[in-house]
Amino acid sequence: MLLYTLTRLAYLAMVLVVMSILVFLVTQAMPGDVASMIAGQFASKEVIDAITVKLGLDQPLIVQYGRWAAGILQGDLGRSLVLEQPVAPILMEALSRSLVLAVVALAVVTVIGIGAGVLAAVRRGRMADQMVSGVSYLGIAVPDFFWAIVLVLIFGSYLKWLPTGGYAPLADGFVPWASHLVLPVVTLVLMLIARIARLTRSSMIDVLQTNYVKYARAKGLPEKVVIVRHALRNALLPTITVLAIDFGLILGGVVVIETVFSFPGMGRLLLFAIQRHDLPLIQATILIISTAYCLANLAADLLYAFVNPKIRHGMGNA
Amino acid sequence: MTALVPLSAAASPDPTPATAAMSALLEVRNLTINYASPRGTLRAASDVSFAIRPGEVMGLVGESGSGKSTVAMAILDLLGEAGRIDGGEILFEGTDLRRLSAGQRRSLRGDRIAAVFQDPFTSLNPALTVGRQIAEPLVQHKGFTPRQAAPRVEELLAEVGIREPRRIAQSYPHQLSGGMQQRVLIATALGCDPKLLILDEPTTALDVTVEARIIELLAGLCESHHLSALFVSHNLGIVNRICNSVCVLYGSEVVETGRTRDVLARPVHPYTKGLVAALPRITTDRRHRLSSIPGTVSKLSGPPDSCVFAPRCPFAEETCRRLPQALRGDAAGNSVRCWKAEALSGTPWPEESTASRPPATPPARTAPLVQVDALRKVFGERRSILPWLRRDGTVAVDDVSFTIQRGEVLGVVGESGSGKSTIGRSLLALIEPTAGTVLFDGADFVKQAKEGDRDLRRRAQLVFQNSAASLNPRKTVGAAMERPLVLAGRQGEAERREMIAALLTRVGLPAAYADRYPHELSGGERQRVNIARALATDPEFVVCDEAVSALDVSVQANILNLLADLRDELGLSYLFITHDIAVVSHIADRVLVVYGGTICEEGPIGRVLRPPYHPYTEALLSAVPRLSGAEDGPEPERILLEDSTAPPGGGGCAFRGRCPRKLGTICDERAPPVQTATDGHRIACHIPLAELAERASVFPELAALH
Amino acid sequence: MTAASPTRAASSRSAPKRWPTSLVLGIALLAPLLVVAVAGPWLAPYPYDEMNIMSRLQPPGPDFWFGTDEYGRDVFSRTLVGTTNSLVMGVAATAISLLVGVPLGLVAGYGRGRTDEIIMRCMDVLMSFPPILLGILVLAVTPPALWKAVVAIGIVYVPQVVRLTRAITLELMQEEFITAARLRGESTAYILFHEILPNIWPPLAVESSLRVVFAILLGAALSFIGMGAQPPSSDWGLMISEARPFVEQAPWIALCPGLAMGITVIGINLLGDGLRAVLDPRNTGGH
């Protein structure tokens, strides 16, 4: 298990390095010249050149990357050109809000998705199964931003039960804080619950047909024990991997959803940065979101290994 | 379906007397089971009746598709959704299980009726420790807490012959060998002191030497616990070893039932006669051909309207095809489902004629066709930038040398992990050897094949074990056979079609099969296609890798005969790889016995089957289940090997970890010397030849050599 | 979970069988959509970009079946014309993923060793970005345009296609009919294209239908945040985005493209499920 963790960490480090290079190169290729943006619209060429030299923008890309990467390792994410302040604190604040959104959404997806999938598999071909299938078709059918608009219309504008957008810090009290989270979370999870439910259903059905489940029944164990102890544990293995991928989808979905709900998180920050060509901010945002995603994948890999004794007790390390 | 019940009830032997019902622990009466499938209802069991008395072990025998497993699962109430019991009774201690509620049946399962399944690896949950899995029935049925169950679990593990019960209880299934896993399942079954064991092919997935140990264990347990058992198996030899009575199924019906000794020694039903005749026995006669049953089992639907075996029966008459047969009993309690039974009582199954065949010429001692020198193969060596991922790899084949003459059949016998398949594949350059050379007709095969020498490829071919996997499912038989011809430069399409038709006819298939897809053929037919494809390039040498192992006995005999005919007619050489010593004795001129990647013994088949034996060969031969009745005298004592503990490798003898005759440290430290006896019979062992020759022959029925 | 067994898939050939309900339903939903995608501009009652300030934000009625938007354009006509956009985006992006991903997957699975290692590590890097973020990253380099969105989506889903193709190839490489082909001395190209590829396409077809759905949804999302189709084109995602400020007064502007997208996605999903059932009768649904 220790060796396995080390291996995964080594891979993670490699991926992060390559990823940061990629992010750096792509943002370099983006339109907009940093020096002229800092200097302002009416600056003379000399001023711009002076800024270029001062920021080291005339140096080879590799040197620039090195400086940028070194800064990141020391916690310095650069300085926003548009907001004219260090990126790190802005980013951390936005990240904390977006993470709350993403983690709550993931928790909801996990609980409801797996529950519905297991129910559908156990009651295969009967009412409950067909209901889960039907509802999951609806969930998959339309994009989350469409659901967002529909939900805002119903619960915000029409019923007026929930705020249609914005954010309230926890300091303002739990209820305002939570009420601002409800609609974004529901929007984020609809499609993913459907996906997880379908996946869990099919892997559960596969596992229910295995010999060891049959043998568990031959031992005279009650169906509940057979399902929970013998089937579910193994059926969840593929689900764990997909949940990590879903966390990436949630992080991506956050970008879209935050615009709809005017939720001041990473997604809005990223779109703002892209519209204003704020290169340091773009680089930092993409890097942080992707790192969060990689960490989620690492967590899933380790959890997978922990649940699966074949990996935990050394049978193949890769 | 309902019409069937009165009909067969009337046809079956008199409604069982009350006394018999009382004395039987399990009685199955007129059981009929159907399976719903996309192609309609399939009959899995019809009018199946038998009874097991306390302490009795009954064998339920049949080939694939006979319905034997279905009956076992029906008793356990584990038929699944597609299977449906459409009639009959299953009486356990006098109570009809079908009348009980599902909950009542469940509480019998694992408690009074316990089961052991075929494949121990898939029957154990990979995510739970084996200790926990053994404890489950105790917790469920006996009200133990998991903590209380722990000492009982260790006791059970010790009882099934596991040496370190505490450590094993805490392991996961994938950490145990196949034999250990099966012991764990047996321990699970014994936990609640059941009355009846349902054993569904419990040793089929295991190696012969492991199988012998498990059978010994089961026989002992049934004896000591006064257990009854239903032993489902396709292997007559094992049934003969462990069962008091036997019930033969064919095409979903019981065709014959009675005491094992009677049924297997003097079978009455034509099918049983054929099955017993088709079983390969140890022999050394090169001309001998096995008896075989022509045709294949057909899929059945609806109630039977004729004798199910009639299409394949050499004794069938018009009557057999018109009327369904009833089971008739005799005074001794044996019954048979054939109206001609008495008339046929003295008639044996027709033998394959050997007279017309040209006498087999012993292979000429000229320049060898295949010459293997110091072959070595290491698998799984891994290099990586991460130091903890680097691995040394495992030695699959170590320093193996042998030759094959033109027209000679060399058998390679060994168990799983012996490296026998690696040897075969290295010979064909499918695996690149780590060291050593393979010369084919004087040329370096591996090197030439790498350079794309198609002619050499053409001359050496392979027949696979898995007849289904070796044919591309998306290509017709004709298309599969055409490629080798195209590669061999046969340009004309008409010429190729003609050649394919001729090849199919040669292996005993209609030429029209060229247009069929592999899944439309039976296993035996697919294996014939595989052989035809191998023959397409007019090869001189064919590697048969477990070519008959996956087939039912009756089909296996067919294919084995075909291979022997082809050898005689085309002068082919074979490398015949198998785990089954009886099969190899039917076809091989010489044999290599391999263990842990090394050759322990080699020589002409007649020499290897007689002393002196390598200790491993002796154990292997003694483990082979056989049909030897009481008239052959008392069975020789079996040599039972320990489960392998130490992995092979390192210095010394590969077999040292399991050798019952291990001398001492010399076996651990020094590689055994190769000692040569007569006729090129060679044994690699530290024990002197003279001492090895002192052992009694495992097969006293083989006459002394001329 | 997508690695369907190729050998089993074949056994569907012999028995005559009914088409599964999901396949029939999927085709029933998609057939009209295809007609609309081809003939949309001719079927539409109004030109998709005809503005009419006099009739802006009209509710659904006999003149405008699904109402009008803020510029008085007919929502129904715009939705019809937008069908082409969505379907082309979905299919074209999937085609790009397949064209790049299948060969890479075949090579990785067949070559194994170092080739495999290099390809898969590259895919790991691509997969370390959440999908939409990778799309944004690709699109942010140059001014947004629809064809760029298509390419971006195509690239986003390459790793999934590579992984699936590689997994099936690896599984097939264990099959003995591949050994048989090597034994005959067949060339690598023959083995890849004549032995392996025919066995890969059934699971790949099922996978592709899913990919088209994801591509349509991702394309809509990109258009929605302004990085895909640009005004005044009639992309569904863009339409929903444009409808947002008026959603309280005129919810129909968003509803019509939303419904259209729902029908498309459900149709393709049903088609995929149906294909799976046809190609692998043993499958229990949703591998």
Side-chain angles (χ1 to χ4, degrees):
Chain A
M1 188 71 192
L2 177 70
L3 290 186
Y4 180 80
T5 313
L6 282 176
T7 314
R8 288 286 121 190
L9 279 175
Y11 277 136
L12 178 73
M14 283 191 265
V15 165
L16 283 180
V17 168
V18 179
M19 189 181 76
S20 68
I21 294 174
L22 211 64
V23 169
F24 182 77
L25 286 180
V26 169
T27 44
Q28 288 303 313
M30 283 183 185
D33 175 34
V34 175
S36 46
M37 279 183 70
I38 292 177
Q41 223 171 339
F42 307 106
S44 65
K45 189 172 179 306
E46 289 73 37
V47 177
I48 294 176
D49 286 346
I51 295 174
T52 306
V53 173
K54 190 183 154 216
L55 292 180
L57 297 176
D58 56 338
Q59 295 187 357
L61 274 182
I62 178 109
V63 177
Q64 290 191 43
Y65 171 75
R67 204 180 287 171
W68 179 65
I72 292 173
L73 289 179
Q74 290 158 23
D76 174 18
L77 292 169
R79 215 182 144 76
S80 163
L81 302 179
V82 179
L83 302 172
E84 298 185 334
Q85 43 180 302
V87 167
I90 312 175
L91 214 58
M92 284 311 136
E93 201 186 346
L95 181 68
S96 66
R97 295 185 194 132
S98 292
L99 274 185
V100 167
L101 202 58
V103 169
V104 172
L106 188 69
V108 173
V109 168
T110 310
V111 172
I112 301 184
I114 291 176
V118 170
L119 183 74
V122 173
R123 303 235 176 270
R124 190 177 165 199
R126 282 183 263 174
M127 258 277 280
D129 183 19
Q130 275 152 10
M131 269 178 58
V132 169
S133 300
V135 174
S136 58
Y137 259 119
L138 268 187
I140 295 174
V142 273
D144 38 15
F145 55 85
F146 181 76
W147 279 125
I149 290 175
V150 172
L151 291 175
V152 165
L153 202 61
I154 298 175
F155 293 99
S157 309
Y158 182 65
L159 294 174
K160 298 203 190 310
W161 287 354
L162 293 163
T164 58
Y167 174 78
L170 197 50
D172 295 0
F174 180 79
V175 175
W177 175 78
S179 67
H180 278 92
L181 286 179
V182 173
L183 285 185
V185 166
V186 170
T187 312
L188 277 173
V189 300
L190 277 175
M191 184 187 287
L192 299 179
I193 286 180
R195 251 165 62 97
I196 290 293
R198 285 174 62 136
L199 175 81
T200 308
R201 174 183 181 271
S202 76
S203 67
M204 190 73 186
I205 285 175
D206 285 349
V207 170
L208 283 174
Q209 286 166 344
T210 57
N211 252 334
Y212 57 81
V213 164
K214 194 173 179 183
Y215 195 71
R217 290 191 176 129
K219 290 180 194 169
L221 301 180
E223 201 56 20
K224 209 160 73 187
V225 176
V226 172
I227 286 165
V228 174
R229 190 185 300 158
H230 287 270
L232 190 57
R233 218 187 145 108
N234 292 290
L236 284 186
L237 287 177
T239 309
I240 290 174
T241 315
V242 173
L243 275 174
I245 296 172
D246 279 0
F247 191 69
L249 290 178
I250 291 177
L251 286 175
V254 159
V255 176
V256 179
I257 293 306
E258 285 181 358
T259 25
V260 182
F261 290 101
S262 323
F263 188 94
M266 291 294 278
R268 283 234 308 178
L269 197 62
L270 175 63
L271 288 183
F272 169 82
I274 290 177
Q275 277 154 12
R276 299 298 194 82
H277 299 294
D278 190 342
L279 290 193
L281 196 54
I282 298 178
Q283 287 172 341
T285 330
I286 293 187
L287 198 67
I288 294 295
I289 297 181
S290 301
T291 308
Y293 180 39
C294 288
L295 288 175
N297 272 320
L298 175 74
D301 278 350
L302 295 183
L303 184 64
Y304 188 95
F306 185 74
V307 181
N308 187 348
K310 277 186 201 168
I311 300 182
R312 183 156 32 113
H313 293 277
M315 203 172 100
N317 280 325
Chain B
M1 276 312 106
T2 41
L4 180 74
V5 178
L7 175 88
S8 52
S12 66
D14 62 314
T16 327
T19 47
M22 293 307 285
S23 65
L25 178 73
L26 176 81
E27 192 182 359
V28 172
R29 279 193 206 156
N30 313 115
L31 188 64
T32 298
I33 303 168
N34 287 299
Y35 268 98
S37 86
R39 292 167 209 179
T41 311
L42 292 179
R43 185 148 49 92
S46 46
D47 190 24
V48 170
S49 305
F50 57 82
I52 302 177
R53 287 184 302 275
E56 180 181 357
V57 179
M58 170 176 266
L60 195 59
V61 204
E63 294 180 286
S64 44
S66 62
K68 55 188 190 302
S69 281
T70 304
V71 171
M73 289 307 130
I75 295 166
L76 289 167
D77 190 25
L78 290 176
L79 272 181
E81 279 164 36
R84 197 180 65 237
I85 299 182
D86 280 336
E89 295 169 307
I90 302 168
L91 302 167
F92 179 70
E93 292 183 322
T95 323
D96 186 358
L97 296 182
R98 292 187 61 206
R99 298 235 167 93
L100 299 178
S101 71
Q104 286 170 316
R105 284 197 294 258
R106 201 195 67 221
S107 63
L108 282 175
R109 258 196 332 258
D111 185 17
R112 316 287 294 147
I113 306 178
V116 176
F117 288 172
Q118 170 169 359
D119 185 349
F121 184 63
T122 61
S123 300
L124 288 167
N125 189 330
L128 302 176
T129 60
V130 299
R132 187 155 174 210
Q133 298 187 58
I134 299 171
E136 275 181 330
L138 297 168
V139 173
Q140 179 62 34
H141 301 293
K142 297 287 182 229
F144 282 59
T145 64
R147 188 180 292 271
Q148 289 168 331
R152 173 81 178 125
V153 166
E154 284 174 29
E155 216 177 283
L156 285 165
L157 283 171
E159 184 167 8
V160 297
I162 283 176
R163 278 215 212 101
E164 296 171 83
R166 183 157 304 177
R167 187 176 66 81
I168 297 302
Q170 283 157 8
S171 353
Y172 287 90
H174 73 270
Q175 297 168 314
L176 308 180
S177 70
M180 297 260 263
Q181 288 168 355
Q182 198 56 290
R183 284 168 199 268
V184 166
L185 276 197
I186 294 170
T188 315
L190 290 179
C192 296
D193 269 324
K195 282 278 170 212
L196 176 69
L197 281 181
I198 306 285
L199 306 166
D200 187 5
E201 303 253 13
T203 58
T204 304
L206 305 174
D207 275 327
V208 191
T209 53
V210 181
E211 173 180 79
R213 299 266 316 184
I214 296 288
I215 291 297
E216 205 71 18
L217 172 70
L218 283 171
L221 288 170
C222 286
E223 181 95 27
S224 62
H225 291 241
H226 198 63
L227 278 171
S228 304
L230 181 68
F231 191 95
V232 178
S233 179
H234 70 283
N235 189 326
L236 294 180
I238 292 180
V239 166
N240 184 46
R241 172 83 192 79
I242 190 171
C243 299
N244 317 108
S245 57
V246 61
C247 177
V248 184
L249 287 181
Y250 180 82
S252 84
E253 290 180 350
V254 176
V255 293
E256 184 165 0
T257 174
R259 288 194 307 161
T260 311
R261 227 179 310 149
D262 299 338
V263 173
L264 296 185
R266 285 174 301 277
V268 180
H269 193 278
Y271 173 66
T272 324
K273 286 181 196 239
L275 202 59
V276 170
L279 197 70
R281 268 158 246 246
I282 300 286
T283 170
T284 53
D285 181 3
R286 209 176 140 85
R287 271 173 312 169
H288 184 263
R289 293 291 184 273
L290 285 163
S291 301
S292 60
I293 305 177
T296 47
V297 190
S298 46
K299 287 260 180 284
L300 307 155
S301 57
D305 55 3
S306 64
C307 168
V308 279
F309 189 57
R312 299 175 73 186
C313 182
F315 314 114
E317 296 177 19
E318 194 46 40
T319 327
C320 306
R321 297 188 188 93
R322 270 193 292 111
L323 285 177
Q325 300 293 308
L327 206 56
R328 289 159 217 270
D330 70 2
N334 303 342
S335 13
V336 59
R337 194 186 289 271
C338 178
W339 67 282
K340 289 177 76 179
E342 265 162 55
L344 291 172
S345 66
T347 320
W349 186 262
E351 280 201 26
E352 303 281 310
S353 63
T354 48
S356 61
R357 252 170 269 281
T361 42
R365 292 266 149 198
T366 52
L369 182 65
V370 178
Q371 196 169 354
V372 176
D373 193 35
L375 186 71
R376 180 182 164 85
K377 177 68 193 174
V378 182
F379 278 116
E381 216 171 357
R382 202 153 80 169
R383 276 168 288 178
S384 170
I385 43 168
L386 303 175
W388 60 86
L389 287 185
R390 287 179 203 145
R391 277 212 208 118
D392 281 345
T394 46
V395 182
V397 173
D398 197 8
D399 193 21
V400 163
S401 310
F402 58 89
T403 58
I404 304 172
Q405 304 292 325
R406 283 174 199 279
E408 182 183 49
V409 177
L410 178 68
V412 178
V413 185
E415 297 178 288
S416 51
S418 62
K420 56 188 191 301
S421 274
T422 310
I423 295 174
R425 276 155 204 245
S426 302
L427 248 59
L428 297 172
L430 289 171
I431 292 174
E432 200 174 327
T434 311
T437 52
V438 177
L439 296 183
F440 183 81
D441 203 9
D444 186 332
F445 198 107
V446 178
K447 200 167 132 245
Q448 303 279 81
K450 241 184 168 176
E451 287 164 7
D453 186 339
R454 284 209 179 129
D455 188 52
L456 217 53
R457 282 256 177 252
R458 177 188 71 71
R459 293 165 67 190
Q461 285 295 324
L462 174 65
V463 176
F464 299 88
Q465 165 172 18
N466 187 334
S467 63
S470 50
L471 293 168
N472 190 330
R474 310 228 158 242
K475 286 185 172 183
T476 60
V477 166
M481 291 175 60
E482 195 169 9
R483 268 315 282 185
L485 294 174
V486 172
L487 288 176
R490 307 281 177 180
Q491 296 305 328
E493 203 183 319
E495 182 198 2
R496 288 200 300 257
R497 278 206 76 82
E498 234 167 76
M499 290 182 74
I500 291 168
L503 282 165
L504 286 173
T505 318
R506 180 66 203 82
V507 296
L509 290 176
Y513 270 39
D515 296 324
R516 298 214 183 173
Y517 282 91
H519 71 268
E520 295 170 311
L521 311 182
S522 72
E525 288 170 338
R526 275 196 299 259
Q527 201 57 303
R528 285 173 190 267
V529 171
N530 273 320
I531 294 170
R533 181 175 63 177
L535 293 179
T537 58
D538 200 9
E540 292 151 54
F541 173 58
V542 178
V543 173
C544 301
D545 190 354
E546 298 274 14
V548 297
S549 306
L551 305 171
D552 276 324
V553 172
S554 64
V555 184
Q556 171 181 305
N558 276 322
I559 301 292
L560 214 48
N561 288 344
L562 173 66
L563 287 170
D565 289 350
L566 292 170
R567 168 199 65 192
D568 289 349
E569 287 165 32
L570 306 174
L572 293 176
S573 306
Y574 295 140
L575 182 79
F576 199 92
I577 300 167
T578 181
H579 66 278
D580 189 334
I581 197 111
V583 164
V584 96
S585 78
H586 272 268
I587 191 148
D589 302 301
R590 283 194 308 130
V591 212
L592 308 178
V593 180
V594 286
Y595 186 89
T598 59
I599 299 177
C600 335
E601 179 165 359
E602 71 167 294
I605 180 76
R607 293 286 179 194
V608 172
L609 291 175
R610 296 180 176 86
Y613 296 121
H614 185 282
Y616 174 64
T617 315
E618 190 179 6
L620 191 65
L621 294 176
S622 127
V624 175
R626 276 172 294 153
L627 280 192
S628 47
E631 53 264 48
D632 294 342
E635 270 197 43
E637 202 182 322
R638 269 155 213 283
I639 298 161
L640 297 172
L641 295 181
E642 297 297 324
D643 289 356
S644 56
T645 43
C653 174
F655 187 53
R656 65 183 187 273
R658 296 174 72 193
C659 185
R661 301 181 68 185
K662 187 177 163 185
L663 292 175
T665 48
I666 185 170
C667 298
D668 295 323
E669 286 158 7
R670 299 235 319 267
V674 177
Q675 310 178 67
T676 307
T678 36
D679 280 354
H681 181 198
R682 285 133 57 96
I683 296 174
C685 188
H686 288 290
I687 305 172
L689 267 186
E691 205 175 308
L692 289 173
E694 282 166 15
R695 304 288 279 218
S697 177
V698 180
F699 305 109
E701 66 267 32
L702 287 180
L705 266 194
H706 27 271
Chain C
M1 270 289 103
T2 22
S5 166
T7 35
R8 284 180 204 130
S11 50
S12 61
R13 273 173 182 276
S14 59
K17 62 152 59 79
R18 286 185 313 144
W19 283 22
T21 328
S22 51
L23 190 64
V24 176
L25 268 176
I27 290 174
L29 281 178
L30 288 180
L33 274 174
L34 280 179
V35 173
V36 168
V38 175
W42 292 280
L43 292 175
Y46 301 90
Y48 76 95
D49 50 357
E50 187 185 83
M51 298 198 200
N52 188 348
I53 303 299
M54 297 302 288
S55 52
R56 56 191 300 260
L57 300 179
Q58 289 288 311
D63 288 340
F64 305 102
W65 295 348
F66 283 85
T68 61
D69 67 7
E70 51 168 331
Y71 302 110
R73 298 176 294 196
D74 180 38
V75 171
F76 182 62
S77 302
R78 286 178 65 70
T79 306
L80 280 191
V81 176
T83 312
T84 325
N85 245 359
S86 279
L87 287 186
V88 166
M89 189 148 65
V91 172
T94 305
I96 292 176
S97 317
L98 290 177
L99 280 178
V100 180
V102 171
L104 281 177
L106 279 175
V107 169
Y110 187 83
R112 284 184 258 194
R114 188 150 301 171
T115 330
D116 183 27
E117 190 77 12
I118 292 171
I119 293 177
M120 291 324 284
R121 289 290 90 81
C122 289
M123 293 303 124
D124 280 353
V125 173
L126 276 187
M127 285 179 76
S128 65
F129 297 100
I132 198 170
L133 215 61
L134 188 57
I136 291 175
L137 198 61
V138 175
L139 286 172
V141 180
T142 53
L146 184 67
W147 69 269
K148 287 177 195 160
V150 170
V151 174
I153 298 165
I155 294 175
V156 167
Y157 289 129
V158 164
Q160 273 93 329
V161 174
V162 172
R163 280 194 151 191
L164 176 69
T165 313
R166 173 178 175 272
I168 308 170
T169 309
L170 278 178
E171 204 176 299
L172 283 169
M173 289 296 292
Q174 305 297 316
E175 298 278 350
E176 290 183 333
F177 64 84
I178 301 294
T179 313
R182 286 172 56 206
L183 196 63
R184 296 197 293 270
E186 298 281 13
S187 66
T188 305
Y190 182 90
I191 294 178
L192 281 179
F193 293 107
H194 288 86
E195 300 281 352
I196 294 181
L197 204 57
N199 286 292
I200 283 185
W201 81 259
L204 215 55
V206 174
E207 171 76 3
S208 303
S209 68
L210 274 181
R211 288 283 140 243
V212 172
V213 166
F214 281 125
I216 290 177
L217 292 177
L218 183 54
L222 285 172
S223 292
F224 183 80
I225 58 173
M227 307 203 73
Q230 297 298 308
S233 71
S234 61
D235 181 90
W236 293 342
L238 185 63
M239 285 173 74
I240 296 174
S241 163
E242 287 170 345
R244 210 156 57 82
F246 309 97
V247 76
E248 283 176 45
Q249 306 144 264
W252 54 83
I253 317 181
L255 199 65
C256 193
L259 273 180
M261 190 171 286
I263 291 173
T264 315
V265 169
I266 290 184
I268 301 175
N269 261 318
L270 285 170
L271 186 76
D273 284 358
L275 275 181
R276 200 195 324 263
V278 170
L279 296 172
D280 186 359
R282 257 185 34 90
N283 206 317
T284 42
H287 226 310

